[in-house]
Amino acid sequence: MKIFKSKEHLKSQIGNKKSISFIPTMGGLHKGHISLIKIAKKYKNETLVSIYVNPKQFNKKEDYKKYPRNLTKDLKILKKLKVNYIYLPTYKDLFKFKPSHKIYLHKFSKKLCGKYRKYHFKGVLNVINRFLEIIRPKYLLLGLKDFQQLTLIQKHIIKNEIHTKIISCKTVRETSGVACSSRNFNLNKNQMKIAKDVYDYLIKIKRKTKKNLKLFSSSSFQKNLIKIGVNKIDYLEIINCKTLQKPNNSKEPFNIFIAYYLNTVRLIDNI
């Protein structure tokens, strides 16, 4: 396992390689990240994992400061998984150059999380665009928990004709059903119990909505979630995963998307 803190040193090592599988992370590694790495290894390419808490995708400095960080633990996990390369860039290393591709923000960026985190996706794409230019991976592995993020990165790659293929991977969940997330490390036992109850309730909503789309009532469902123990809800919406619009009938392939708070911890999911 080789660790790089400079893009120049990284590029000198992997510059001629055309079969890198890349997993971008912000650290706080969990079962979801581990799953992505294991899937990457199935492609029999060399694996590269980045750890970088990107300040440009946080709307609040407080949220950025509270984001779970444990580099020592993360590196132990990556060593055990026999990852080939680790990239630990500094802010200067990533942002002191002009990328060849412009950021493309599809209109889907204005929905869901984009409504409530104004510069979030611009910040995400800014960093991913730079990573892709530095690493030039064959594959980019991303989890479907972050469906909106994955979709926008895909649109950016297609628009700019970047030769990287996205491998979308199923959401990995705890035994309780709660989606694995670095932010879960900031939750106490009672809050994890509430998160489980939220997941269970979302499953009920999905079943009901699949029977009849008209039974979906965001306002009444949100009131019930507040009763369960949720402190705040940014959105609870149904979106057709192919058209990225609200479905017209229950036969369309749709997911229920949610962003909610347990105290100050913001969680997202889609089912």
Side-chain angles (χ1 to χ4, degrees), residues 94-270:
L94 272 182
F95 291 101
K96 292 299 181 182
F97 76 97
K98 186 178 180 180
S100 57
H101 296 117
K102 290 184 178 180
I103 294 170
Y104 172 66
L105 266 179
H106 185 269
K107 61 183 179 180
F108 186 46
S109 65
K110 295 180 181 178
K111 297 184 177 182
L112 302 175
C113 285
K115 286 183 185 177
Y116 298 88
R117 305 181 74 188
K118 191 174 181 182
Y119 302 107
H120 173 69
F121 290 120
K122 185 177 180 181
V124 170
L125 285 167
N126 192 344
V127 164
I128 291 296
N129 188 41
R130 291 166 186 273
F131 276 139
L132 294 179
E133 185 160 324
I134 294 166
I135 300 164
R136 301 184 185 277
K138 184 174 182 180
Y139 298 116
L140 173 64
L141 289 94
L142 300 169
L144 282 165
K145 177 180 77 75
D146 300 294
F147 175 85
Q148 188 175 19
Q149 174 177 285
L150 186 155
T151 301
L152 293 172
I153 293 171
Q154 179 76 281
K155 299 288 185 186
H156 169 78
I157 285 174
I158 293 170
K159 181 73 172 180
N160 286 288
E161 298 180 343
I162 297 170
H163 301 297
T164 294
K165 181 181 179 181
I166 288 183
I167 306 298
S168 56
C169 306
K170 290 182 180 179
T171 301
V172 176
R173 298 182 179 276
E174 304 291 352
T175 53
S176 62
V178 176
C180 292
S181 169
S182 301
R183 294 176 188 272
N184 292 352
F185 292 122
N186 287 338
L187 300 176
N188 59 37
K189 286 184 179 180
N190 182 56
Q191 289 169 329
M192 282 299 290
K193 170 65 170 61
I194 295 170
K196 177 194 181 301
D197 293 340
V198 169
Y199 170 76
D200 292 341
Y201 188 62
L202 291 175
I203 293 293
K204 290 180 182 178
I205 294 174
K206 183 73 178 278
R207 286 173 183 162
K208 184 180 286 190
T209 309
K210 270 193 169 184
K211 290 179 181 178
N212 185 346
L213 200 69
K214 292 180 180 179
L215 294 176
F216 184 83
S217 172
S218 182
S219 58
S220 63
F221 291 153
Q222 287 191 45
K223 287 178 183 177
N224 290 336
L225 286 166
I226 295 297
K227 289 178 183 177
I228 286 172
V230 171
N231 297 102
K232 179 186 173 185
I233 300 166
D234 277 350
Y235 60 81
L236 178 67
E237 296 186 32
I238 46 175
I239 298 284
N240 181 314
C241 298
K242 292 184 177 180
T243 66
L244 308 180
Q245 303 292 328
K246 288 185 178 180
N248 295 310
N249 60 71
S250 58
K251 292 181 181 179
E252 292 183 34
F254 68 85
N255 273 12
I256 295 170
F257 290 80
I258 189 171
Y260 67 97
Y261 288 82
L262 295 177
N263 196 5
T264 59
V265 181
R266 188 179 191 270
L267 302 173
I268 63 169
D269 202 352
N270 69 90

